[in-house]
Amino acid sequence: MPTNPQARDLTATRGRLNPRLALMVVLALAPAAVLGVYICCQQHRASVARVNADALRAAELVAASQQGLAEGTRQLLATLTELPLVQTNTSRPFLHSVFRNLLKLSPACVEFGLLQRDGQWLASSLPVAPEGGFPHEPLLRKVLASRRLVVAGGAPGATNQPAGVWFGQPVLDGAGEVSRVLYAVVGVEALTEAANRTRLPRGAELTICDARDAVLARWPERSHPSSPTGNAPPFHLARNEATAMEGLTGLDGGGLFFAYAPVRVGSSAPLAVWVGIPKAGAYAETRDALVLTLLLLGMVAVVAWVAARWYASVRILKPVRQLVAAAERLGADDWTARTGLSHSRGELGLLARTFDDLACTLQRKQAESERAAAELRAAEIKFRTLVEQSLVGIYIIQDGNFAYVNPRFGDIVGRKPEELIGKPVLDIVAEPDRALVEGNIRKRLQGELPSIRYHLRCVRPDGSPVPVEVHGAAAEVNGRRAIIGALLDVTEQVQAEAEIRRLNAELEQRVALRTAQLEAANNELEAFAYSVSHDLRAPLRHISGFVELLAGSAGGRLDERGARYLKTIADSARQMGRLIDDLLDFARMGRARMNTARVDLEELVGAARAELEPDTRGRNIVWKNGGLPEVEGDPAMLKQVFLNLLSNAVKYTRQRDPAVIELGTENANTEEIIVFIRDNGAGFDMRYAHKLFGVFQRLHRADEFEGTGIGLANVRRIIARHGGRTWATGEPGKGATFYFSLPNHHASQGTHGTQTNPPG
Amino acid sequence: MELKRILLAEDNPHDVELTLAALGEHNLANEVVVVRDGAEAIDYLRRQGAHAGRPDGLPAVVLLDLKMPRVDGLEVLRHMKSDPALKHVPVVMLTSSREEQDVVRSYESGVNAYVVKPVDFDQFVEAVKQLGFFWAVLNEPPPGSARQGNR
């Protein structure tokens, strides 16, 4: 594996792990160490106690042996004082020999002597008296004072005397007074020997002192026992009982444990034994134990640390390294990376499982995201193609600048898209239209208009204007307000519109021309109609008039045939007059200007019926009226319609008694109003229904029903001019129904539902 | 019954004859002055030209045909209505035209009545009778009209 930051980190981790492991081992062993030290302390305390006890016992043993020696000496002296030779003998040689023999008997003693009460020396084991008298003045005084045995150390200041312990025993006369003083000196050698018989602990010091703390003997013999100099133990501290104490300093300067034991002779304790055991000796055992314990602990620690290192390396660092390696592979986009560790072992197993699960999830997510990215790319390509290849210019405006334009947009305004992006919109707008464009952009951004479509002129770099149509809408692009839109080049459209306008103008000119021609023709027609109206009627009137005058003046002279001829002439002239009048009416109806107003059809029916009154007089006619509405129309024309239809109904029901004429509306809907006029008159054959509304078309003979055949033609013409329809149904002999419809300009409908019967 | 003078302007002699016959049938006119065109009618009314020497006094009513040679009825009417001396004289259009524009123009020019001559002679007689009776007999003419003695 190449060295990379993660690997270095791992090394560092291991570097940090080892001291931690060591610390752990130390912490684990610390209680044992503390326990060991504690035990050692206890042992130390115990060994100190034991050493003290040993010292005390040794001191007591030594004291006992000394005491035996002293007791023997006392008893010897006590016995000797009973002897008369001692009490009374004054022979120095005799006494000397006795004492010499005594020395041989008592090897512990080195000297025996006898003193006068006044201190005068009588005799001793020594061959000659010592120079200057008895050396141990204090002993003598004490004996004299106490009259009892006195034991004391070496004589003060006497260097020629044997070293030892002095025993002074008073010799009492018969009166119980002290006459003489017997003394013996137990030699130091004897003391030492007695001490030597006692087994002392190794390295122990033994000191024998008198009551004044003067050192009588010391073992081992490092210095002269009589020398009071040196660091003597404070023997005065303990005097009466055996005592152990520590913290004192031995003669060699080392620390010692001391034990004291008095040597009792009678009721006094003239001697004391001190036994010192060096501290070093007492501590050595404890120290050795402590060193051993610590050594063992150290070895355990080393073993434990090595084991921990091995365990950490195998059970922690290796899996961690595998985890790190897997993580690095994941980091390097290797989505198949797995730890390869067993998932069942401990916390690292759990971690490995979690990691592997995570890797699985990541792999799945990665696959999904790659798929999504692929789809997104496909969609992006699709939409990009759509936009880039679009034949319509597409743009996005943000902050007054182009954020995007497609190639077609660039083509339209004669620039490359990359030249436009980021540039102000108004740069490509022709000067006069800039305010318009600015206003429209603002309106959309402010939400006044969500979308807009308008025309403007862009300008190409060469200054040529391009008419365009813009479809823009406000939108949000990348979280910011924007205007998106499409731009269409409408140059061709504008040209086409100009062409259309030109053609329209031409057409209008042509129409005007045609209209003028038509008007001219119409005028001619009117002139013709006028002529017909005026000039054709005059001769007819003359014919009619003069026939009447002729009939009046020459009627009597004419035979029957002549009279019939005259009547035929008059009738024909009258008929022709009616034809001309109707024809003129018809022509006039076509040309007359319509004066549209709100018309109550009910009123028109009333007026028409009033006009027809001469024709209906004397007839039995039942009028039924279902009610007619108000409509928009020309009142005069619509009245003519009712007049024609009602007069027809009246005319063709002439043979009915009663005649029934019904008016009403039918199937009225919102689009048209349908009015019908039904009669029970002559009716007609439906085969000829298409001829009914033709000009001069008649379905009945003139001698049956008079008429010119112009009435229904007029009705159709009027209704057609109102935008309505006319039709009829009928059956010969059963009656007819005439219908007309009118556009329903207002949905309102009058309600004149009445049924009336005229008088008669 | 006081009969008054009627001025009839009509170019067609047949119509003149028929009108006179109709008027005469009911004795409605003891004096009907007939002129044959509009110019002559104006001459008569203004007592000028051929009619300079006519008796004074204005007709009780003027019956005008619409279509006449030289000066038509409408022109005569406008002349009369624009002439303060003549504008009070009642004018009746007596014509065969039923054209709306003729009717409208006549009334716009101040005609007092408009009568379409029916083709049927009986109706014609009736119409003329009504006309003559109303204008020449019932209507009180403005001052200055010619008055004839009773007959």
Side-chain angles (χ1 to χ4, degrees), chain B residues 67-86:
Chain B
K67 202 176 170 190
M68 288 184 291
R70 296 204 290 177
V71 176
D72 69 16
L74 269 178
E75 284 175 90
V76 175
L77 174 65
R78 285 177 193 140
H79 261 291
M80 289 178 67
K81 292 302 173 186
S82 60
D83 186 338
L86 301 176

Side-chain angles (χ1 to χ4, degrees), chain A residues 416-454:
Chain A
K416 291 200 175 89
E418 53 269 26
E419 289 174 2
L420 286 167
I421 291 168
K423 296 286 161 52
V425 174
L426 295 181
D427 282 4
I428 61 152
V429 177
E431 184 70 41
D433 289 342
R434 285 188 181 169
L436 171 75
V437 171
E438 224 167 6
N440 284 336
I441 289 177
R442 198 188 58 245
K443 280 179 195 165
R444 272 171 290 167
L445 287 180
Q446 291 173 351
E448 208 173 304
L449 282 172
S451 67
I452 197 169
R453 183 185 135 187
Y454 64 104

Side-chain angles (χ1 to χ4, degrees), chain A residues 458-674:
Chain A
C458 288
V459 63
R460 290 203 169 106
D462 61 8
S464 60
V466 192
V468 295
E469 181 178 331
V470 163
H471 297 249
E476 194 150 301
V477 175
N478 295 333
R480 283 194 299 138
R481 296 287 291 164
I483 289 173
I484 57 171
L487 189 81
L488 291 168
D489 184 349
V490 292
T491 306
E492 287 176 12
Q493 192 182 329
V494 166
Q495 282 167 353
E497 277 171 9
E499 181 67 13
I500 286 169
R501 269 197 297 276
R502 194 183 60 76
L503 289 173
N504 258 346
E506 236 178 66
L507 196 63
E508 269 172 30
Q509 230 170 1
R510 246 182 263 170
V511 166
L513 192 64
R514 289 282 183 277
T515 306
Q517 288 169 347
L518 273 176
E519 272 174 9
N522 209 27
N523 288 341
E524 278 173 25
L525 202 64
E526 277 193 35
F528 170 73
Y530 187 85
S531 162
V532 167
S533 163
H534 198 266
D535 297 342
L536 288 191
R537 289 172 84 242
L540 274 177
R541 196 169 56 248
H542 299 155
I543 293 167
S544 176
F546 284 103
V547 165
E548 288 296 325
L549 290 178
L550 178 62
S553 64
R557 279 171 285 154
L558 287 175
D559 58 8
E560 193 180 335
R561 185 181 292 179
R564 188 167 57 82
Y565 290 165
L566 270 185
K567 184 177 182 300
T568 302
I569 292 168
D571 287 349
S572 298
R574 209 175 290 126
Q575 173 69 6
M576 189 168 175
R578 268 202 298 277
L579 279 172
I580 289 170
D581 283 352
D582 286 353
L583 193 58
L584 284 173
D585 279 348
F586 183 68
R588 191 164 48 240
M589 214 52 86
R591 292 200 317 272
R593 179 201 295 273
M594 277 181 68
N595 297 309
T596 306
R598 196 92 190 123
V599 186
D600 185 353
L601 294 182
E602 203 69 31
E603 273 180 23
L604 294 187
V605 168
R609 277 179 57 184
E611 269 187 50
L612 290 171
E613 205 273 331
D615 297 329
T616 58
R617 195 177 297 152
R619 294 268 310 275
N620 180 14
I621 300 175
V622 176
W623 294 91
K624 290 183 178 172
N625 191 339
L628 296 172
E630 283 189 359
V631 297
E632 292 281 325
D634 185 315
M637 290 184 178
L638 290 178
K639 181 185 160 192
Q640 190 68 46
V641 166
F642 281 108
L643 204 54
N644 289 2
L645 291 174
L646 290 180
S647 81
N648 271 358
V650 168
K651 182 163 74 183
Y652 289 101
T653 55
R654 196 181 291 151
Q655 276 119 25
R656 297 287 184 270
D657 188 11
V660 179
I661 300 173
E662 187 183 352
L663 285 121
T665 57
E666 190 176 86
N667 194 25
N669 56 36
T670 50
E671 283 173 15
E672 55 181 12
I673 297 161
I674 295 171

Side-chain angles (χ1 to χ4, degrees), chain A residues 526 529-530 533-535 537-538 540-542 544-546 548-549 573-574 577 581 584-585 588 591-592, chain B residues 12 14-15 17-18 21 25 65-67 95-102 116-122 124:
Chain A
E526 277 193 35
Y530 187 85
S533 163
H534 198 266
D535 297 342
R537 289 172 84 242
L540 274 177
R541 196 169 56 248
H542 299 155
S544 176
F546 284 103
E548 288 296 325
L549 290 178
R574 209 175 290 126
D581 283 352
L584 284 173
D585 279 348
R588 191 164 48 240
R591 292 200 317 272
Chain B
N12 189 312
H14 302 312
D15 275 329
E17 193 177 346
L18 286 174
E25 196 162 306
D65 187 15
L66 207 52
K67 202 176 170 190
T95 172
S96 25
S97 170
R98 292 173 56 188
E99 282 301 303
E100 193 180 327
Q101 54 174 338
D102 286 338
V116 178
K117 292 183 255 185
V119 170
D120 187 89
F121 182 70
D122 293 339
F124 180 72

Side-chain angles (χ1 to χ4, degrees), chain A residues 17 34 51 141 168 288 329 397 403 419 425 471 553 561 671:
Chain A
L17 190 58
V34 169
V51 168
R141 272 201 312 273
D288 291 350
R329 284 172 60 200
I397 295 173
E419 289 174 2
V425 174
H471 297 249
S553 64
R561 185 181 292 179
E671 283 173 15

